[in-house]
């Protein structure tokens, strides 16, 4: 059986004790890293060594570790989620790095995402945008038959494509304006094309764009960096849809 090759890496990690404390990049050695480890498992290994040495571990956010919760918000070598197409940090594997590589690890950087500690930022501004969207009208009572409300397949596919957004905030971190337009547009578009979402479409788009501005996100100026960084392939076509929905709402 052939012996698995391991790597030694130099990690430059952003350390910051709290929201108002000064931050800095600190150097750590990641030794004997397996190419089959995920990026977060590699950080776990570094943290185990730090704990053994009675040093404070690196604080980072994670939950599902399978690309669905959007928690693992890290900028790796200057790119949110590390730059591998349709891949979150937790899905990134160490085989994409080489022995001896220097890796720079930083938190999301945007005015609307204040740093809590080290690599964790407060992304609750995105939750408040969703909250502003409010409810969908629905009749209570018996369960309707599955085919009572027919939805054309292209509309269902369009809604599902928008619903892929996991609310990670990489689009905001990648945008030079710190704009949340891609996120908000995905949330608006996934409901706007479905009959269940049409009843409140006008109030929803106004409330969500209003919340987006209030939270301090910037405006979209068509850089498309959001689409490039999005781990779920959310397209900027949804931003065009958001703009159309907003204009329609203004006429109502
Ligand atoms: S649009 Fe993409 S990058 Fe932005 S929050 Fe949703 S999944 Fe993350
Ligand atoms: S930890 Fe859930 S998407 Fe990465």
């Amino acid at each position: 059986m052939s012996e698995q090759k391991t790597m030694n890496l130099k990690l430059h990690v952003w350390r910051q004790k709290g929201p108002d404390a000064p931050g800095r990049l600190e150097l750590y050695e990641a030794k004997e890293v397996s190419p089959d480890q995920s990026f977060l498992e590699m950080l776990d290994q570094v943290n185990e060594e730090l704990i053994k040495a009675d040093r404070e571990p690196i604080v980072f956010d994670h939950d599902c570790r399978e690309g669905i919760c959007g928690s693992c918000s890290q900028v790796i070598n200057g790119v949110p989620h590390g730059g591998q197409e349709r891949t979150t940090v937790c899905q990134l594997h160490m085989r994409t790095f080489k022995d001896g590589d220097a890796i720079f690890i930083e938190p999301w950087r945007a005015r609307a995402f204040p740093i809590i500690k080290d690599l964790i930022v407060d992304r609750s501004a995105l939750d408040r945008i969703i909250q502003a969207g409010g409810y969908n009208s629905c009749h209570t009572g018996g369960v309707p038959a599955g085919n009572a409300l027919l939805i054309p397949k292209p509309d269902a596919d369009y809604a599902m494509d928008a619903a892929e957004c996991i609310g990670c905030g990489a689009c905001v971190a990648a945008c030079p304006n710190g704009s949340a337009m891609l996120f908000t547009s995905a949330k608006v578009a996934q409901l706007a094309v479905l009959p269940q979402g049409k009843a409140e479409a006008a109030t929803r788009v106004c409330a969500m764009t209003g919340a987006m501005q209030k939270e301090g996100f910037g405006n979209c100026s068509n850089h498309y960096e959001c689409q490039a960084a999005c781990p779920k392939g959310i397209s900027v076509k949804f931003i065009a849809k958001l703009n159309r929905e907003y204009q329609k709402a203004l006429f109502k």
Side-chain angles (χ1 to χ4, degrees):
M1 202 165 71
S2 67
E3 218 172 274
Q4 189 185 37
K5 278 197 180 152
T6 59
M7 296 174 271
N8 293 325
L9 305 157
K10 289 188 191 326
L11 308 183
H12 298 267
V13 185
W14 187 261
R15 303 299 309 259
Q16 185 169 333
K17 283 191 185 308
D20 300 319
R24 72 213 164 278
L25 286 167
E26 284 188 6
L27 179 63
Y28 299 89
E29 305 273 345
K31 291 188 183 145
E32 297 184 9
V33 174
S34 159
D36 294 333
Q37 279 179 303
S38 74
F39 199 83
L40 297 187
E41 284 166 347
M42 180 276 293
L43 283 180
D44 290 338
Q45 189 176 310
V46 171
N47 272 348
E48 277 168 25
E49 293 304 317
L50 288 174
I51 291 165
K52 271 191 224 156
D54 211 16
R55 293 172 68 194
E56 200 174 337
I58 299 158
V59 178
F60 62 91
D61 217 350
H62 62 101
D63 189 1
C64 70
R65 296 201 176 202
E66 55 184 1
I68 55 174
C69 75
S71 304
C72 49
S73 44
Q74 293 175 26
V75 175
I76 299 167
N77 290 339
V79 186
H81 288 303
Q84 188 164 303
E85 205 181 339
R86 294 199 179 211
T87 306
T88 54
V89 170
C90 59
Q91 295 173 305
L92 190 64
H93 278 81
M94 296 315 295
R95 64 182 78 97
T96 56
F97 298 92
K98 292 192 306 295
D99 185 35
D101 271 359
I103 305 176
F104 289 79
I105 311 171
E106 295 170 83
W108 281 178
R109 296 200 189 275
R111 187 173 46 160
F113 293 158
I115 292 178
I116 297 173
K117 188 168 183 178
D118 294 345
L119 303 174
I120 294 190
V121 300
D122 179 356
R123 292 176 300 124
S124 59
L126 298 186
D127 299 334
R128 288 189 288 276
I129 294 175
I130 301 232
Q131 200 177 11
Y135 59 85
N136 287 348
S137 292
C138 76
H139 298 293
T140 54
V143 180
N147 60 356
L149 193 57
L150 296 178
I151 296 167
K153 179 79 165 70
D155 289 355
D157 287 349
Y158 184 94
M160 285 304 291
D161 286 349
E164 272 198 75
C165 169
I166 55 173
C168 64
C171 46
V172 178
C175 176
N177 306 331
S179 168
M181 282 288 269
L182 194 66
F183 164 80
T184 309
S185 71
K187 300 302 172 196
V188 164
Q190 77 185 52
L191 292 170
V193 289
L194 299 177
Q196 298 93 330
K198 284 196 199 295
E200 284 86 19
T203 48
R204 183 185 308 115
V205 68
C206 291
M208 290 180 87
T209 46
M212 187 177 75
Q213 280 162 357
K214 200 171 121 207
E215 294 292 342
F217 293 103
N219 288 319
C220 172
S221 50
N222 295 326
H223 286 270
Y224 293 9
E225 293 291 339
C226 53
Q227 179 179 280
C230 176
K232 296 295 154 185
I234 302 294
S235 161
V236 291
K237 75 180 179 192
F238 294 119
I239 296 181
K241 173 72 175 164
L242 171 72
N243 289 335
R244 285 197 300 278
E245 287 295 312
Y246 188 67
Q247 280 166 12
K248 265 198 300 185
L250 293 183
F251 281 113
K252 284 201 172 173

